[in-house]
Amino acid sequence: RAAALACVLAHVGSYVPAESAEVPLLDRVFARVGSADDPRAGQSTFVREMRETAAILKNASSNSFVVVDEIGRGTSTTDGTALATAVCETLCRGPLSIFTSHFYALCELEKTTDGCVKNYHVDALVEDEELTLLYKVEAGPATKSYGIHCARLAGFP
């Protein structure tokens, strides 16, 4: 979301909070981050996620910027991975995009998309079973999962 906001700020001539930024001329900025259900409208979180993603895929052009976070979490791992893969591959053929996922299988897309997908992860340090998120983006996929550590940080017993 911060990258999308930086693009909007640059386009309106405002200060961009970065050491430097090269922002191409964009026609639209899309973000599909987080979701919530809408029981009154009969929409589950997953249905809303799919509708929002479909709207982005239909409306984004090669001059758009798209941020997509965690597609496919509201269904089985198999279906979620397939949906996330399809969305990522579709975005490869169009707009400038940032795509985040917890589906490790998507890391293989870097090998099969002719350079379109580049894997990055946020670095972390574990000492004496204590997780420290370093807030530093590094090239390549993460080498391990920190889900249990994050659960502890969130107060899980």
Side-chain angles (χ1 to χ4, degrees), residues 125-133 149 152-153:
L125 176 67
V126 177
E127 291 182 334
D128 300 322
E129 291 301 310
E130 290 292 318
L131 174 68
T132 303
L133 301 173
H149 293 91
R152 279 193 206 118
L153 285 174

Side-chain angles (χ1 to χ4, degrees), residues 23-156:
V23 180
L25 185 59
L26 301 170
D27 60 5
R28 294 178 179 174
V29 176
F30 295 93
R32 214 296 327 147
V33 180
S35 193
D37 60 0
D38 187 357
R40 289 176 290 165
Q43 292 185 358
S44 68
T45 301
F46 182 67
V47 168
R48 289 192 63 188
E49 175 185 304
M50 292 296 100
R51 286 187 174 155
E52 291 169 5
T53 303
I56 290 170
L57 296 176
K58 288 177 186 173
N59 293 300
S61 75
S62 60
N63 294 319
S64 298
F65 180 59
V66 176
V67 177
V68 178
D69 179 48
E70 298 290 1
I71 292 294
R73 290 185 0 170
T75 188
S76 71
T77 300
T78 302
D79 287 353
T81 300
L83 289 164
T85 299
V87 170
C88 189
E89 288 175 338
T90 300
L91 291 173
C92 271
R93 296 188 296 271
L96 179 64
S97 306
I98 295 177
F99 186 97
T100 65
S101 178
H102 68 289
F103 295 121
Y104 197 78
L106 269 65
C107 293
E108 294 299 311
L109 291 174
E110 186 169 26
K111 298 174 187 172
T112 62
T113 57
D114 296 325
C116 174
V117 172
K118 300 286 186 207
N119 290 311
Y120 291 90
H121 67 278
V122 177
D123 207 6
L125 176 67
V126 177
E127 291 182 334
D128 300 322
E129 291 301 310
E130 290 292 318
L131 174 68
T132 303
L133 301 173
L134 301 177
Y135 300 99
K136 183 177 179 186
V137 177
E138 299 280 347
T143 57
K144 72 179 283 186
S145 173
Y146 299 103
I148 300 300
H149 293 91
C150 288
R152 279 193 206 118
L153 285 174
F156 272 57

